[in-house]
Amino acid sequence: MKLIAQSENIENIVDKDSIYVDKTEYIYNLTKQYDRVFISRPRRFGKSLTLNTIGTLFEKGVEPYFKGTWIYDKWDQDKYPVLHLSFLEYSATDLDEFKRQLCLSIYKFARAKKIQDVLDDKEPNVYITNLFDAMSDGEQLILLIDEYDRQLTANINNPELYEKFRICLRDFYGAIKGKKQIKFLAVTGVTRLKDVSIFSVGSDIMDLSYNNAYSKLIGFTRDEIKHFYLDYLKLGVAYENNKTPESVSDIEIENLLDRMAEYYDSYCFDEFNQNKVFSTYSVNGFLKDIYEKKTVRFGDYWYDVGGLPSILKNYMESHNLDIEKLLTSEIEIPYNDFKNPTSLIDINENVLMCQTGYLTLKSEIVPGYAVTLGTANREVKSALFMLLGLKIFDTTTPAFSLKNRYVIETGSVDEIISLFNEVLAALSYDKYPVKDESVLRALLQVYLIGKNHDVRIEQNNSKGRSDIIVNFPKRRVVLELKYTDKASSEKAKLAEAEQQIIEKGYGLENLGDRELIQIACVFNGAKTKRQITMYKNVEE
């Protein structure tokens, strides 16, 4: 059984006989159709491996690293030297150091490729121009730039340094624009910003970030997972059902893929909103866990590996996220905000959330019409609400300690309500006051989903909509919430909530053999209370 790749280098993947999900047909078409391309994707999605694969093909050809791939008998390009610049390796806090490091990379390339008489300079735009001038007539190179926006995203809260880096990058991209010495140029990043000249009017680079033909270039499709990771899928089913991998049926494999899709699928980078992909890092982490830990665990791999990305952390320090919008299943934003963000300093927050992977495309992209965004899957929704939880709650309080991990799943009604009161006590009331039932429901939703619980809000049945339903394998917890700021109305509100649960039959739909706990509860928002003051287990 081949190992799951841990590298972003195609040579290491092949040398270690690891799994390589074959994307070479897309790369072949890409290099045939375009000379200059840009692709935006969230972190940990496979951008670096894509660039490395392109560079290896151009520099070394198909031998020996592409045997058995689609491209093996089709690649007919000559070999070219590759200048691969990863901006992750350069300083994001010191502009002079950034310039020195970038110039050093160009110098090392020129020396390794024996390009003579490159005039020295401290400005990257001048240095790379000098490199082009020193190249022989007709000589060309491949230029790959990974994470081009790293220095900008790191300085979203430092306008002065942001502007200095922006000007430096603008000048650098201006220097490479249209240069005949570049056979092929590929640039990746998280954001797409108009204030860097790479995307300015007259730019020769093609933005393929939401191009239908290349929407599956980065990320895994369901068919790719089933084809390349079949042994791991069989192993997962075997562990879950105490059987041998050889006896696993196709229906069982499809069932596991369905559950994987709920957690890791439905990222959309397709202008037509047709093609969806799984998170590469999440799929690899999930299947690697099956092999190493002999268990099927739907963890938050994408968020766990990098935590809160600096771009969002920095943004949240100086901006307030619109929590009510993020709590909705779909968010509409103006077409121009989505398509042409100018600067990170004034970017639409939902566009930023999309570019960093917390939201994804939910509609076609049609000029002049609003673009719809939403969360892709349970993993990213959990990560989003974990992010919101950091903003809303004091997460150092006991409510967020490990001892409360299984309270809702296995605890008593008294313990559940006690936990919710601890959570609500951890609120920053000056910023997020609980003024009505909808706010109360939203804040509890942030907490529950941030803890990766299977939460359904206002779920419809034939008789009405419940406030909150939390599903577990052996239990379902239903909450019907009422708000008041007067102690005199608490009993009436509780009776109203109880009657609603009984009449509407909340939680009974598709219950199966799970235990059902239906809780009617009243939150008193008066300054002297601010907690659930009355509650009742309706089944009692």
Side-chain angles (χ1 to χ4, degrees), residues 323 387-394 426-429 432 442-443 446:
I323 292 172
L387 171 69
L388 293 177
L390 294 172
K391 182 83 171 174
I392 295 170
F393 299 107
D394 177 1
L427 271 171
S428 174
Y429 270 90
Y432 303 101
L443 293 171
V446 169

Side-chain angles (χ1 to χ4, degrees), residues 322-341:
D322 190 333
I323 292 172
E324 289 190 13
K325 277 191 177 180
L326 292 172
L327 287 170
T328 64
S329 57
E330 293 185 341
I331 301 167
E332 286 196 346
I333 60 171
Y335 168 83
N336 195 60
D337 284 7
F338 179 81
K339 193 69 175 176
N340 299 306

Side-chain angles (χ1 to χ4, degrees), residues 223-491:
D223 288 343
E224 287 170 340
I225 296 171
K226 187 173 182 181
H227 176 75
F228 290 99
Y229 293 97
L230 183 60
D231 289 341
Y232 287 85
L233 297 173
K234 288 181 177 180
L235 202 60
V237 173
Y239 286 141
E240 280 195 308
N241 297 282
N242 195 27
K243 61 197 305 185
T244 64
E246 294 76 23
S247 64
V248 169
S249 69
D250 190 64
I251 292 176
E252 290 173 315
I253 290 170
E254 292 293 338
N255 176 266
L256 180 55
L257 283 167
D258 285 342
R259 286 181 288 149
M260 287 176 63
E262 182 183 353
Y263 278 84
Y264 309 124
D265 193 13
S266 296
Y267 288 94
C268 182
F269 306 102
D270 181 359
E271 61 201 310
F272 303 144
N273 194 34
Q274 295 174 347
N275 296 320
K276 310 292 193 299
V277 292
F278 287 70
S279 162
T280 55
Y281 194 88
S282 301
V283 168
N284 281 336
F286 171 76
L287 296 175
K288 188 168 176 283
D289 261 6
I290 288 176
Y291 179 76
E292 293 182 349
K293 300 176 183 177
K294 298 180 172 56
T295 186
V296 174
R297 181 184 75 93
F298 291 95
D300 294 331
Y301 301 96
W302 177 76
Y303 183 90
D304 286 348
V305 69
L308 179 61
S310 61
I311 180 176
L312 278 180
K313 183 178 180 181
N314 293 337
Y315 184 91
M316 288 169 60
E317 288 175 358
S318 56
H319 299 74
N320 284 323
L321 297 178
D322 190 333
I323 292 172
E324 289 190 13
K325 277 191 177 180
L326 292 172
L327 287 170
T328 64
S329 57
E330 293 185 341
I331 301 167
E332 286 196 346
I333 60 171
Y335 168 83
N336 195 60
D337 284 7
F338 179 81
K339 193 69 175 176
N340 299 306
T342 299
S343 166
L344 277 177
I345 304 301
D346 58 9
I347 192 171
N348 181 307
E349 69 177 51
N350 295 309
V351 174
L352 179 63
M353 299 293 279
C354 183
Q355 293 182 343
T356 52
Y358 284 88
L359 298 175
T360 195
L361 194 63
K362 293 288 185 178
S363 70
E364 290 185 71
I365 303 173
V366 181
Y369 291 87
V371 177
T372 304
L373 305 177
T375 53
N377 50 53
R378 275 192 63 180
E379 180 190 39
V380 75
K381 192 171 186 179
S382 174
L384 171 59
F385 281 76
M386 192 184 304
L387 171 69
L388 293 177
L390 294 172
K391 182 83 171 174
I392 295 170
F393 299 107
D394 177 1
T395 56
T396 63
T397 60
F400 294 83
S401 67
L402 190 60
K403 70 180 179 63
N404 289 318
R405 182 178 180 185
Y406 297 109
V407 166
I408 303 171
E409 184 174 4
T410 62
S412 67
V413 172
D414 291 343
E415 289 170 330
I416 292 171
I417 295 299
S418 178
L419 172 60
F420 285 153
N421 276 331
E422 286 184 8
V423 169
L424 293 167
L427 271 171
S428 174
Y429 270 90
D430 56 335
K431 293 181 179 179
Y432 303 101
V434 183
K435 296 179 178 179
D436 54 40
E437 185 183 312
S438 64
V439 173
L440 174 64
R441 182 173 58 244
L443 293 171
L444 289 178
Q445 180 184 5
V446 169
Y447 171 78
L448 291 166
I449 298 179
K451 294 301 180 184
N452 200 19
H453 294 313
D454 181 4
V455 181
R456 311 298 163 96
I457 305 299
E458 294 191 312
Q459 180 165 306
N460 289 300
N461 67 11
S462 59
K463 297 180 180 179
R465 296 186 300 178
S466 54
D467 278 336
I468 295 178
I469 291 179
V470 190
N471 287 316
F472 299 98
K474 296 182 179 180
R475 172 185 274 191
R476 172 177 289 169
V477 177
V478 176
L479 293 173
E480 183 60 30
L481 307 168
K482 297 299 174 184
Y483 175 90
T484 185
D485 55 8
K486 298 179 178 65
S488 60
S489 63
E490 289 176 354
K491 287 185 179 180

Side-chain angles (χ1 to χ4, degrees), residues 32 48 87 91 216 255 309 420 445 483 500 515 519 529:
K32 285 289 185 180
S48 297
F87 280 28
S91 175
K216 296 185 286 187
N255 176 266
F420 285 153
Q445 180 184 5
Y483 175 90
Q500 239 176 290
E515 173 193 17
I519 308 174
K529 300 283 187 176

Side-chain angles (χ1 to χ4, degrees), residues 27-121:
I27 291 173
Y28 177 86
N29 294 332
L30 185 75
T31 56
K32 285 289 185 180
Q33 294 176 356
Y34 303 104
D35 296 325
R36 313 277 194 273
V37 299
F38 169 79
I39 300 177
S40 169
R41 290 291 185 273
R43 65 198 173 93
R44 291 292 185 177
F45 236 85
K47 300 188 298 291
S48 297
L49 176 59
T50 301
L51 286 191
N52 176 267
T53 303
I54 292 171
T56 303
L57 280 164
F58 271 113
E59 194 161 41
K60 300 186 177 180
V62 294
E63 292 287 356
Y65 298 109
F66 294 91
K67 288 181 179 178
T69 65
W70 183 94
I71 207 169
Y72 182 70
D73 58 353
K74 302 173 184 70
W75 182 259
D76 57 1
Q77 295 275 10
D78 293 333
K79 293 181 180 179
Y80 295 89
V82 175
L83 173 54
H84 192 154
L85 305 173
S86 174
F87 280 28
L88 287 174
E89 300 173 359
Y90 307 145
S91 175
T93 58
D94 186 323
L95 179 63
D96 289 334
E97 179 63 10
F98 167 79
K99 290 179 178 180
R100 186 193 70 80
Q101 291 169 327
L102 180 51
C103 288
L104 181 61
S105 293
I106 299 170
Y107 164 79
K108 288 180 176 178
F109 169 81
R111 185 175 180 182
K113 304 306 177 185
K114 297 182 170 54
I115 301 174
Q116 305 295 326
D117 302 323
V118 180
L119 297 178
D120 191 23
D121 203 282

